[in-house]
Amino acid sequence: MPPQNREYVSDVWKDNLFSEKVVFCTGGAGTICSAQVRALVYLGANACIVGRNVEKTERVATEIATVRTGARVLGIGGIDVRDSEGLKAAADRCVEELGGIDYAIAGAAGNFLASVNNISSNAFKSVMDIDVLGSYNTVKATIPHLVKSAEKHRNEPANPRRKGTGGRIIFLSSTTHYIGSPFQTHLAAAKAGVDAMSNNVALEFGPYGVTANVITPGPIENTEGVARLVPAGSEAAVRKGQPLGRYGLTKDIADATVYLLSESGSYVSGHTLVVDGASWRAPGGSLGMGNSLAYPDSLLSGNAVAGVKGRKEQKL
């Protein structure tokens, strides 16, 4: 049974807010990105989600389509965001089958906990390629269509036929590079690049009417990120260390997405919207580290981080 709409979007938004609009999302089968797309589809949009895993991407697309009668959601698997030609082909298919691309979400990412001493150059490069190059390839694949949509939906009195918004891109980032974060050098470097990219896209394509913004989630309940980044035995301590005493919800990120893509975000561009309940300002950063990764002892031990789902052993 699909989740009820209150689980993935607040009820403050009006129905059909994104009627006749199309969103293209990389990493769209992931927990956070699928919630973003699900909210937009519930509010009237059609969508195309892309990912590497064919079965998962198609399954999630089918599930998202159930939130609104008549919704069309394409799930295009076998797409690696590091492959610019494959990603462009996916965007072109989205346009051909759904009629255009009004919004893009660059959400594909890779991460794990590892110190510089325990991560190889290849592993570092992999994260940089997925996050930075993947985001750049998403821009290149979608920007011609976003420019067309922006022109059609320019927020000007001289455009009386304008209906809704268009020409907007959102990047998913992290707070790890704000103050530094042990075991996250690879991600910090990558997400700093993503943030800078968004700012420049806002400047270069603002004259065409395109907006570019970043959403930075904190630790979000029941997501791959928390499962990968919170070491076994530290979950209670990490949760307790959050300023609001809880993890965020995927709905929190979905609502931020609706805000930026709707009329309410028309003059917001080149902005980073941190949605983490002030977690990054707490001692120890957004995830804290719990007792198992006490600083600096855990680094000085030279041991790799244990008990993290999805982490692969790295060779120097």
Side-chain angles (χ1 to χ4, degrees), residues 72-93:
R72 298 185 63 194
V73 182
L74 301 179
I76 306 178
I79 301 296
D80 190 322
V81 293
R82 294 169 289 189
D83 174 13
S84 60
E85 291 302 316
L87 194 55
K88 181 182 182 301
D92 290 346
R93 178 182 166 189

Side-chain angles (χ1 to χ4, degrees), residues 109-127:
N111 196 14
F112 46 83
L113 288 175
S115 69
V116 171
N117 282 332
N118 285 289
I119 180 174
S120 67
S121 295
N122 284 339
F124 183 92
K125 182 178 184 298
S126 179
V127 173

Side-chain angles (χ1 to χ4, degrees), residues 178-248:
Y178 294 178
I179 57 174
S181 182
F183 308 101
Q184 291 283 266
T185 301
H186 46 294
L187 186 74
K191 291 307 188 184
V194 170
D195 288 6
M197 185 185 310
S198 178
N199 295 338
N200 275 47
V201 169
L203 291 175
E204 290 195 15
F205 293 96
Y208 297 96
V210 174
T211 69
N213 292 288
V214 173
I215 292 178
T216 300
I220 303 297
E221 193 83 59
N222 299 320
T223 58
E224 296 98 328
V226 167
R228 287 175 179 269
L229 300 178
V230 177
S234 295
E235 200 276 339
V238 172
R239 186 186 296 270
K240 184 179 179 181
Q242 303 308 304
L244 293 180
R246 66 173 179 87
Y247 290 154

Side-chain angles (χ1 to χ4, degrees), residues 6-310:
R6 63 179 178 274
E7 295 182 25
Y8 54 81
V9 67
S10 296
D11 59 8
V12 299
W13 310 107
K14 67 179 182 180
D15 293 339
N16 299 313
L17 183 62
F18 298 111
S19 179
E20 302 180 16
K21 299 300 185 294
V22 177
V23 57
F24 180 90
C25 181
T26 63
T31 315
I32 290 178
C33 288
S34 64
Q36 292 175 285
V37 175
R38 188 177 289 111
L40 299 176
V41 170
Y42 175 76
L43 294 172
N46 292 318
C48 175
I49 64 172
V50 302
R52 283 188 288 180
N53 185 305
V54 175
E55 187 278 330
K56 181 181 180 182
T57 303
E58 293 178 350
R59 173 174 51 80
V60 172
T62 299
E63 189 275 314
I64 291 174
T66 66
V67 302
R68 177 175 56 82
T69 301
R72 298 185 63 194
V73 182
L74 301 179
I76 306 178
I79 301 296
D80 190 322
V81 293
R82 294 169 289 189
D83 174 13
S84 60
E85 291 302 316
L87 194 55
K88 181 182 182 301
D92 290 346
R93 178 182 166 189
C94 177
V95 171
E96 181 179 354
E97 296 194 27
L98 299 182
I101 295 175
D102 299 289
Y103 314 118
I105 299 174
N111 196 14
F112 46 83
L113 288 175
S115 69
V116 171
N117 282 332
N118 285 289
I119 180 174
S120 67
S121 295
N122 284 339
F124 183 92
K125 182 178 184 298
S126 179
V127 173
M128 292 293 291
D129 284 353
I130 294 171
D131 288 61
V132 183
L133 180 60
S135 294
Y136 181 74
N137 287 341
T138 301
V139 172
K140 294 288 281 186
T142 62
I143 200 65
H145 312 295
L146 296 177
V147 168
K148 288 181 181 179
S149 179
E151 179 62 28
K152 180 180 177 182
H153 299 96
R154 272 192 178 273
N155 193 3
E156 297 174 347
N159 187 7
R161 293 181 295 177
R162 175 177 177 269
K163 182 179 179 182
T165 62
R168 302 186 181 182
I169 183 167
I170 291 174
F171 300 83
L172 273 292
S173 191
S174 167
T175 63
T176 51
H177 55 292
Y178 294 178
I179 57 174
S181 182
F183 308 101
Q184 291 283 266
T185 301
H186 46 294
L187 186 74
K191 291 307 188 184
V194 170
D195 288 6
M197 185 185 310
S198 178
N199 295 338
N200 275 47
V201 169
L203 291 175
E204 290 195 15
F205 293 96
Y208 297 96
V210 174
T211 69
N213 292 288
V214 173
I215 292 178
T216 300
I220 303 297
E221 193 83 59
N222 299 320
T223 58
E224 296 98 328
V226 167
R228 287 175 179 269
L229 300 178
V230 177
S234 295
E235 200 276 339
V238 172
R239 186 186 296 270
K240 184 179 179 181
Q242 303 308 304
L244 293 180
R246 66 173 179 87
Y247 290 154
L249 305 174
T250 54
K251 181 172 71 171
D252 296 321
I253 309 305
D255 281 333
T257 303
V258 175
Y259 160 65
L260 289 174
L261 299 185
S262 68
E263 195 73 53
S264 56
S266 289
Y267 205 56
V268 181
S269 191
H271 180 65
T272 298
L273 180 56
V274 180
V275 186
D276 80 337
S279 296
W280 79 272
R281 297 187 180 277
S286 64
L287 286 177
M289 284 299 171
N291 294 330
S292 68
L293 289 180
Y295 180 86
D297 295 348
S298 54
L299 282 168
L300 294 175
S301 73
N303 296 327
V305 180
V308 178
K309 294 180 180 178

